Amino acid sequence: MSMDIHRLAMCEKPREKFLCHGPQSVTDQDLLAILLRTGIKGHSVLDISRSMIRSLPGENIYYLSESSVNDLCCIHGVGRDKAVTVCAAIELGRRIARQRVKQRAPDFSTPEAIAEYVMEDMRFLPQERFAAVYLSTKNQLITYQTLTIGTLNASLAKARDVFRFAIRYNAAAIVLIHNHPSGNPEPSKDDILVTQNIAEAGRVMDIPVLDHIIIGDGTFVSLCERGYL
């Protein structure tokens, strides 16, 4: 009987629960505790992982992806080593997700493929972020670059910034991307004007702008499909 109780107690620990029952059996708090590994005097590792989740807006685990090492270090019991471990795990997950999309959808000229690639990075950002995807002659992804942060307008979205990376990476085509923090991806007049100005520069440089995709909360709009390109 005592052996069964001991085994049950072990399986309630995050790491042992993960091993005994698989990754689907553990909570977000458990996963963070596994990464944090140890607690501090007077606070268990589960206490610290709980505090980390409670520090996030709405206790939404997504916002860990927006937290820096310094942000996490402000939580009692989280030193620099623990903060780096959590941030590294988040970045690894982000890169794996991107690689999965690249393997599944090699043609990055389609708005669906581009939107899926950037959706989880951009859908919850608190500010507008203007970026571009640079493509090869076979519409394969070369690189994805953030260009500016702030409300999209002609003063921020300069064509030279867009095409500087196109020239550096010898890109054959470009897809512009930005997010609307409101969650509504409907384009504004500035969105359309900026798109058309940059597309015109692309025609002059013989590096076509194939699309401008606006990311909302789980949804997107393609300005090409809307007829603006």
Side-chain angles (χ1 to χ4, degrees):
M1 177 67 71
S2 62
M3 181 63 71
D4 290 340
I5 293 173
H6 176 71
R7 186 179 294 114
L8 179 61
M10 289 295 288
C11 286
E12 288 306 308
K13 295 180 180 179
R15 195 174 298 272
E16 285 71 20
K17 190 191 300 185
F18 189 101
L19 289 171
C20 289
H21 304 297
Q24 300 305 318
S25 70
V26 297
T27 64
D28 294 341
Q29 181 181 326
D30 291 334
L31 286 172
L32 276 175
I34 290 170
L35 291 172
L36 296 171
R37 296 185 66 85
T38 60
I40 59 172
K41 186 176 181 179
H43 297 277
S44 72
V45 69
L46 283 169
D47 292 334
I48 297 172
S49 65
R50 188 182 302 115
S51 295
M52 187 175 289
I53 291 174
R54 286 177 177 172
S55 74
L56 303 171
E59 298 188 13
N60 185 337
I61 198 73
Y62 168 82
Y63 288 99
L64 269 180
S65 66
E66 297 301 307
S67 300
S68 68
V69 169
N70 288 337
D71 292 333
L72 297 182
C73 284
C74 292
I75 300 167
H76 183 62
V78 180
R80 189 161 295 273
D81 287 346
K82 292 182 187 298
V84 168
T85 298
V86 172
C87 289
I90 291 166
E91 180 59 24
L92 183 62
R94 186 181 287 125
R95 294 184 187 190
I96 290 170
R98 286 179 180 170
Q99 190 63 35
R100 183 177 66 246
V101 174
K102 286 168 68 175
Q103 290 176 341
R104 194 167 64 240
D107 183 354
F108 269 65
S109 65
T110 64
E112 291 78 12
I114 301 285
E116 183 180 2
Y117 183 71
V118 302
M119 181 63 71
E120 294 310 312
D121 276 350
M122 299 187 77
R123 65 187 292 187
F124 295 120
L125 291 175
Q127 289 181 285
E128 288 193 22
R129 182 175 297 179
F130 181 53
V133 167
Y134 296 90
L135 304 175
S136 71
T137 54
K138 295 183 178 180
N139 292 325
Q140 294 173 322
L141 178 67
I142 297 174
T143 188
Y144 163 56
Q145 296 287 338
T146 295
L147 301 172
T148 61
I149 296 175
T151 302
L152 187 65
N153 55 49
S155 64
L156 275 179
K158 298 184 184 299
R160 67 170 177 266
D161 295 325
V162 176
F163 292 100
R164 176 164 51 90
F165 288 106
I167 293 168
R168 177 186 299 179
Y169 292 105
N170 196 28
I174 299 169
V175 176
L176 306 175
I177 307 164
H178 88 280
N179 65 301
H180 282 176
S182 67
N184 181 355
E186 286 300 313
S188 67
K189 290 181 180 179
D190 276 344
D191 295 338
I192 295 167
L193 179 61
V194 165
T195 302
Q196 292 174 340
N197 287 344
I198 294 175
E200 179 60 31
R203 283 188 281 272
V204 172
M205 298 185 68
D206 198 27
I207 305 176
V209 175
L210 302 179
D211 205 344
H212 184 172
I213 296 171
I214 303 176
I215 300 295
D217 185 1
T219 185
F220 70 93
V221 165
S222 160
L223 268 64
C224 182
E225 291 182 344
R226 290 287 181 90
Y228 294 116
L229 280 172

